[in-house]
Amino acid sequence: CLSLFFFQCDNAKGLKAFYDAIKFGPKHLMVFGGVCATVTSIIAEALKGWNLVQLSFAATTPELADKKKYPYFFRTVPSDNAVNPAILKLLKHYHWKRVGTLTQDVQRFSEVRNNLTDVLDGKDIEISDTESFSDDPCTSVKKLKGNDVRIILGQFNEEMAVKVFCCAYDEEMYGSKYQWIIPGWYENLWWKAWINSSQCLSKNLLAAMEGYIGVDFEPLSSKTNKTISGRTPQQYEKEYNARRGGGQASKFHGYAYDGIWVIANSLQRAMKYLNSTNMHQKIEDFNYTNQELGNIFLNAMNETRFFGVTGEVVFKNGERMGTIKFTQFQEQKEVKVGEYNAVDDTLIIINNSIRFQGVEPPKDKTIIQEELRKISLPLYSILSALTILGMIMASAFLFFNIKNRNQKLIKMSSPYMNNLIILGGMLSYASIFLFGLDGSFVSEKTFETLCTVRTWILTVGYTTAFGAMFAKTWRVHAIFKNVKMKKKIIKDQKLLGIVGGMLLIDLCILICWQVVDPLRRTVEKYNMEPDPAGRDISIRPILEHCENTHMTIWLGIVYAYKGLLMLFGCFLAWETRNVSIPALNDSKYIGMSVYNVGIMCIIGAAVSFLTRDQPNVQFCIVALVIIFCSTITLCLVFVPKLITLRTNPDAATQNRRFQFTQNQKKEDSKTSTSVTSVNQASTSRLEGLQSENHRLRMKITELDKDLEEVTMQLQDTPEKTTYIKQNHYQDLNDILSIRNFTDGKDGEKAILKNHLDQNPPAQWGSSDPSRTSKDPIEDINSPEHIQRRLSLQLPILHHAYLPSIGGVDASCASPCVSPSASPRHRHVPPSFRVMVSGL
């Protein structure tokens, strides 16, 4: 007997109908049905008191899976929780190990989500984020994106699904990087009914929905095997469609059909059991208090196993082990792409029909590939080649300096100090090779060692080069600023000591740095960047640095010391700017070197700090600054010497004042002094000049005696005027030249040539044609001849003789000038008058 009751999903009506059937109707062996979850759960919970087994074909609520609360409840339709094992299988198939859940705040969906958490627990799949919402899912969607969730498992109805995908479109959580897995039981074209309630356009919604995977139970089996009824699932479907006419098909009809067969099969099994046990009972003897027969029916239900139109019908703890299908939204329609058989725990993907938006399935998270930002090998090669050229140039300068070390020009410029300048430049060049070695060339431990080595080499090289340059400039400064004019010899050993002292300060700073706070290899991670090749990965650039805890303090100490050294060099260059010997005066080149190095270091340090996240740019800037500073320094020191040595080597070692005019000599005499001693060679040269000065003074004395004898002869032999003109004119010029060289005062630099221009020598022997007829002796002793002789002889005596014995000053233009005109003349006026009367 089959009784039909319609509850209309009303709990009161359903419960009343159930009690009426029990009280007034015939005895019922089983209860078949229950579609509405609320009514079904109420009745199923009460069945235990009447020993009745209930079989539902449409109640999918997970709540009914609780066997402690509903021990007599069975269903031929899989519950909503049945999709979770299928989802687990799909996740494993595509190696997705990190997922997130988005759940609508409804009990049905929350229960599925909770069960999914239990299913995934211990299966090496992480639920990285669990979000839920009531009405607006956008906040939850944004959180999922913030947590880098790529595989989203959703549980919500159709109305909320439209809102979810609209939010996904706004957050760009769709396409090749994301995969949505949602319930598959929505009605066909479900989004059209709710599109108007959303705020996004239809095309945007469809773009976000493209590719989602729906999971639901299979209404009918796809297999062609004959069922327990003798029909195949296809034959059954054809007959069902023919009988239902134009009415809308229910997706539960196959489960209802199989449910009838389950009840029939269970009763038949119970009858066989009763017959085999000789219990002398029949199923007709069942009543609501007969617990023994109730248990027989319950066991018969649990032992059910046959192939129906919905697939293999098997119960496990009252739950149907059915078939779950996977559909994918492709081009505005749902396409079946696979199915999961819960009995065999197998997943079948239909001919790889799943279409992902990318070339491969989405990653379950952003694959972060750490990529070391390294120095480009071509760039390193180019800069290394430039460095090698610089070192070759430095080696050429070294060869030039050693080869010509005995040349006066090189010897006066301190060849040993020049060698140190070259050595410092080569050390600076060598540091470039170390600055270009990073993690792509060396190991982490080696890189940490290089951090210290390259710092030491560059620091020592800088101090060696500029320390030697400033040390030899200091020697020139010390000698030329020697106001006491004492003989002063500063040997190269002392200069080496000065350079050594500068290096000692460097070593103290570097050793303290290394001991107290050594440089370490640090790795700096930068923001993720998209893959240039278009792969579904993100690149996280990392960069190696040489740093320590108090990096700023140590760099400040080093910069301060180097800055003081540069200021000291500028001071020396300024103080020695007026040294008149080119071989000793490098002030101009030192100033240019300090200026270029200072400017380049400031610019290089600033640009290097700003480009610390770009190793190629940073290395290029540092290398070019070192190359430029080292090259310009070496060229300014050695190129002028090389050019001078090839063109005019003697001019560079001579005092430039000897080449100046008289006015330039007067100006320079106020600010310069003679070179006392620069080195052993200059000392010997000075001693030679002193000997030559003494010899010339002796020659002056001899010429003075000759002049006196000639003067005396003029009194007795007037005819010897011609002799004076011919034999002593050159001697008088020599006297004037020698005196101008030996006496350094400006007042004594009168020139005989001016007087000779006014009284040409050609007139000495000339005679007036009108007097040719007179006696020669009378003509010579005539007043005119005497006056002419006096006009010639007195200036000669005035310029050459009297100054040597303390007489009139050489600046006096005429013997008739008052003695008070010259300071040197004031104390010997009698000498002037005696000499005139003597003539």
Side-chain angles (χ1 to χ4, degrees):
C1 178
L2 181 63
S3 301
L4 297 178
F5 300 95
F6 298 98
F7 306 146
Q8 298 177 357
C9 293
D10 187 305
N11 295 343
K13 290 181 180 180
L15 190 59
K16 182 179 183 303
F18 172 72
Y19 283 126
D20 289 344
I22 294 295
K23 183 176 182 181
F24 302 109
K27 293 181 181 179
H28 299 88
L29 300 178
M30 292 183 180
V31 176
F32 181 66
V35 176
C36 297
T38 55
V39 177
T40 303
S41 61
I42 293 175
I43 294 176
E45 188 174 5
L47 291 178
K48 185 178 181 180
W50 284 273
N51 296 312
L52 284 172
V53 175
Q54 181 181 7
L55 178 64
S56 173
F57 59 88
T60 60
T61 176
E63 181 186 3
L64 295 171
D66 186 1
K67 302 312 294 182
K68 293 182 179 179
K69 191 174 182 181
Y70 311 105
Y72 284 84
F73 178 80
F74 291 83
R75 50 188 167 190
T76 56
V77 62
S79 72
D80 293 335
N81 287 342
V83 301
N84 291 333
I87 292 174
L88 172 63
K89 201 70 175 180
L90 182 68
L91 296 177
K92 288 186 174 182
H93 180 77
Y94 289 106
H95 307 287
W96 291 327
K97 297 183 178 182
R98 187 174 181 271
V99 299
T101 61
L102 181 63
T103 309
Q104 184 180 354
D105 283 336
V106 176
Q107 182 180 4
R108 174 185 180 184
F109 301 124
S110 298
E111 290 176 351
V112 175
R113 190 266 317 278
N114 295 336
N115 180 259
L116 177 63
T117 302
D118 296 336
V119 171
L120 298 181
D121 185 30
K123 300 298 189 297
D124 195 26
I125 295 178
E126 172 194 0
I127 300 179
S128 60
D129 191 14
T130 299
E131 298 293 335
S132 60
F133 65 94
S134 297
D135 185 63
D136 184 12
C138 290
T139 303
S140 298
V141 171
K142 186 178 295 185
K143 289 181 179 179
L144 290 172
K145 182 179 181 180
N147 290 325
D148 191 33
V149 175
R150 298 288 198 89
I151 312 300
I152 304 100
L153 308 179
Q155 287 292 330
F156 33 75
N157 58 27
E158 295 98 321
E159 181 183 4
M160 291 296 106
V162 171
K163 294 183 179 181
V164 167
F165 282 113
C166 285
C167 296
Y169 180 84
D170 294 337
E171 296 295 330
E172 297 183 351
M173 291 184 64
Y174 65 96
S176 61
K177 295 182 179 181
Y178 295 90
Q179 182 60 60
W180 290 84
I181 301 175
I182 63 174
W185 42 261
Y186 300 162
E187 297 292 334
N188 191 29
L189 303 177
W190 55 270
W191 66 90
K192 291 184 177 181
W194 303 101
I195 185 63
N196 294 329
S197 63
S198 65
Q199 300 297 325
C200 61
L201 299 177
S202 177
K203 64 177 183 179
N204 296 341
L205 176 62
L206 293 175
M209 290 169 54
E210 184 68 24
Y212 79 75
I213 295 177
V215 187
D216 193 18
F217 55 82
E218 182 75 271
L220 292 174
S221 176
S222 58
K223 296 181 179 180
T224 58
N225 300 344
K226 287 188 177 183
T227 65
I228 192 173
S229 65
R231 302 180 181 89
T232 63
Q234 293 76 22
Q235 292 174 341
Y236 161 79
E237 184 179 19
K238 183 178 180 180
E239 185 176 351
Y240 170 77
N241 291 332
R243 292 191 178 188
R244 71 180 175 86
Q248 183 178 4
S250 171
K251 65 178 183 179
F252 298 106
H253 64 86
Y255 293 99
Y257 181 78
D258 283 342
I260 299 298
W261 282 101
V262 167
I263 293 175
N265 188 266
S266 298
L267 292 176
Q268 185 179 14
R269 187 178 295 106
M271 293 172 60
K272 290 182 178 179
Y273 177 80
L274 292 174
N275 292 333
S276 63
T277 56
N278 297 322
M279 295 180 64
H280 305 290
Q281 287 185 349
K282 298 180 181 179
I283 59 174
E284 293 84 353
D285 298 335
F286 174 77
N287 57 56
Y288 300 129
T289 59
N290 192 340
Q291 186 176 3
E292 184 177 3
L293 283 178
N295 290 332
I296 292 175
F297 294 155
L298 183 62
N299 293 333
M301 290 287 291
N302 284 323
E303 294 174 359
T304 300
R305 187 183 183 100
F306 62 87
F307 183 76
V309 295
T310 58
E312 193 78 18
V313 180
V314 179
F315 296 106
K316 183 179 181 181
N317 294 326
E319 294 295 307
R320 167 74 185 273
M321 304 292 291
T323 302
I324 305 299
K325 70 172 181 177
F326 293 95
T327 59
Q328 188 179 37
F329 189 75
Q330 300 177 1
E331 299 177 356
Q332 302 186 25
K333 61 181 180 180
E334 292 188 347
V335 179
K336 183 179 178 180
V337 294
E339 64 179 31
Y340 168 76
N341 190 331
V343 178
D344 301 330
D345 192 25
T346 57
L347 174 66
I348 300 175
I349 302 298
I350 302 174
N351 298 326
N352 297 320
S353 56
I354 294 184
R355 297 180 185 177
F356 295 107
Q357 303 300 303
V359 295
E360 60 182 357
K363 306 295 182 182
D364 57 3
K365 62 180 178 180
T366 300
I367 303 300
I368 301 175
Q369 181 176 331
E370 291 187 347
E371 185 177 276
L372 177 65
R373 283 185 173 176
K374 54 188 179 180
I375 295 173
S376 171
L377 183 59
L379 176 63
Y380 181 76
S381 302
I382 293 172
L383 293 176
S384 297
L386 293 177
T387 303
I388 292 173
L389 292 177
M391 298 184 76
I392 292 174
M393 180 196 69
S395 301
F397 288 150
L398 180 63
F399 174 77
F400 163 79
N401 191 69
I402 295 175
K403 180 181 178 181
N404 299 282
R405 64 185 181 276
N406 293 324
Q407 293 284 342
K408 187 178 296 184
L409 173 64
I410 303 301
K411 186 176 291 185
M412 293 181 69
S413 67
S414 303
Y416 292 112
M417 294 298 101
N418 292 342
N419 291 341
L420 287 181
I421 294 174
I422 297 172
L423 176 62
M426 296 186 74
L427 287 175
S428 299
Y429 280 128
S431 66
I432 296 176
F433 297 110
L434 303 182
F435 276 104
L437 296 177
D438 54 16
S440 61
F441 295 100
V442 297
S443 63
E444 295 181 3
K445 185 176 181 181
T446 305
F447 180 81
E448 192 167 292
T449 304
L450 289 177
C451 290
T452 302
V453 173
R454 69 191 189 188
T455 303
W456 282 54
I457 290 179
L458 182 60
T459 304
V460 171
Y462 179 93
T463 303
T464 303
F466 283 93
M469 183 187 299
F470 299 155
K472 73 173 188 175
T473 307
W474 170 82
R475 175 163 63 182
V476 176
H477 171 268
I479 292 173
F480 279 83
K481 294 299 179 180
N482 181 18
V483 295
K484 296 183 179 181
M485 293 300 295
K486 293 182 178 180
K487 185 177 181 181
K488 190 171 186 179
I489 300 177
I490 301 176
K491 297 184 178 181
D492 287 343
Q493 287 80 357
K494 188 170 184 178
L495 301 185
L496 291 174
I498 294 175
V499 177
M502 296 178 182
L503 291 176
L504 184 61
I505 297 175
D506 265 335
L507 291 177
C508 290
I509 295 174
L510 293 173
I511 290 173
C512 292
W513 189 350
Q514 182 65 23
V515 172
V516 177
D517 192 12
L519 290 171
R520 303 290 186 188
R521 174 186 178 270
T522 60
V523 176
E524 184 177 2
K525 297 183 178 181
Y526 294 89
N527 295 331
M528 291 184 294
E529 301 174 353
D531 180 45
R535 297 174 297 173
D536 186 18
I537 62 174
S538 293
I539 305 298
R540 183 186 295 278
I542 62 173
L543 190 60
E544 295 175 314
H545 294 295
C546 293
E547 293 180 346
N548 53 14
T549 306
H550 306 288
M551 190 72 174
T552 305
I553 296 177
W554 293 109
L555 288 178
I557 295 173
V558 173
Y559 290 158
Y561 171 55
K562 302 303 179 186
L564 292 175
L565 185 62
M566 299 295 279
L567 290 176
F568 176 65
C570 292
F571 167 76
L572 293 177
W574 177 260
E575 287 290 307
T576 59
R577 68 190 184 281
N578 292 320
V579 173
S580 58
I581 301 178
L584 300 177
N585 189 356
D586 288 334
S587 60
K588 178 175 67 174
Y589 305 124
I590 292 175
M592 293 173 64
S593 296
V594 171
Y595 174 78
N596 287 296
V597 171
I599 294 298
M600 290 302 297
C601 288
I602 292 174
I603 295 175
V607 175
S608 176
F609 177 78
L610 295 175
T611 58
R612 59 183 281 120
D613 59 336
Q614 304 177 43
N616 284 323
V617 177
Q618 186 182 44
F619 172 64
C620 184
I621 294 297
V622 172
L624 290 178
V625 167
I626 295 175
I627 292 174
F628 177 82
C629 293
S630 301
T631 303
I632 199 68
T633 300
L634 293 176
C635 289
L636 287 173
V637 171
F638 291 99
V639 170
K641 293 179 174 56
L642 190 148
I643 295 175
T644 303
L645 191 63
R646 288 185 174 274
T647 56
N648 190 8
D650 294 331
T653 60
Q654 294 177 358
N655 193 319
R656 288 177 295 188
R657 291 187 181 87
F658 295 137
Q659 304 170 10
F660 290 165
T661 63
Q662 183 176 358
N663 293 334
Q664 290 171 323
K665 290 183 179 181
K666 291 180 180 179
E667 182 180 353
D668 292 344
S669 63
K670 300 177 182 178
T671 57
S672 62
T673 59
S674 299
V675 178
T676 303
S677 173
V678 177
N679 51 31
Q680 193 64 33
S682 60
T683 303
S684 301
R685 178 173 175 272
L686 182 59
E687 292 175 353
L689 292 175
Q690 291 174 346
S691 300
E692 181 69 14
N693 186 35
H694 179 70
R695 185 184 65 80
L696 294 175
R697 287 183 179 274
M698 295 299 294
K699 187 174 181 179
I700 290 174
T701 304
E702 294 175 0
L703 292 175
D704 286 342
K705 293 179 180 180
D706 292 342
L707 181 60
E708 184 179 357
E709 293 177 0
V710 171
T711 305
M712 293 303 179
Q713 292 174 4
L714 287 174
Q715 296 178 359
D716 301 331
T717 313
E719 292 81 358
K720 292 185 179 180
T721 302
T722 306
Y723 171 78
I724 295 174
K725 177 177 74 72
Q726 296 176 351
N727 296 321
H728 293 282
Y729 175 75
Q730 185 63 37
D731 291 339
L732 293 175
N733 274 333
D734 291 344
I735 291 172
L736 296 178
S737 299
I738 293 169
R739 181 162 299 282
N740 285 335
F741 178 76
T742 56
D743 201 334
K745 296 186 178 179
D746 295 339
E748 301 172 356
K749 295 180 179 179
I751 302 175
L752 181 60
K753 183 177 180 297
N754 294 333
H755 178 77
L756 295 178
D757 291 340
Q758 298 174 2
N759 301 281
Q763 298 177 2
W764 289 6
S766 66
S767 60
D768 192 347
S770 64
R771 294 180 180 271
T772 55
S773 62
K774 292 185 180 182
D775 186 83
I777 299 176
E778 181 182 354
D779 293 338
I780 294 174
N781 294 320
S782 65
E784 295 178 0
H785 278 263
I786 293 174
Q787 181 66 28
R788 186 178 299 174
R789 284 196 299 270
L790 287 175
S791 66
L792 172 65
Q793 293 168 357
L794 286 178
I796 295 174
L797 295 174
H798 166 72
H799 285 289
Y801 178 67
L802 291 179
S804 66
I805 61 174
V808 295
D809 189 71
S811 63
C812 185
S814 172
C816 300
V817 179
S818 174
S820 63
S822 175
R824 294 181 57 187
H825 192 198
R826 293 171 186 169
H827 64 285
V828 286
S831 300
F832 177 76
R833 291 193 294 271
V834 170
M835 292 302 296
V836 173
S837 62
L839 291 175

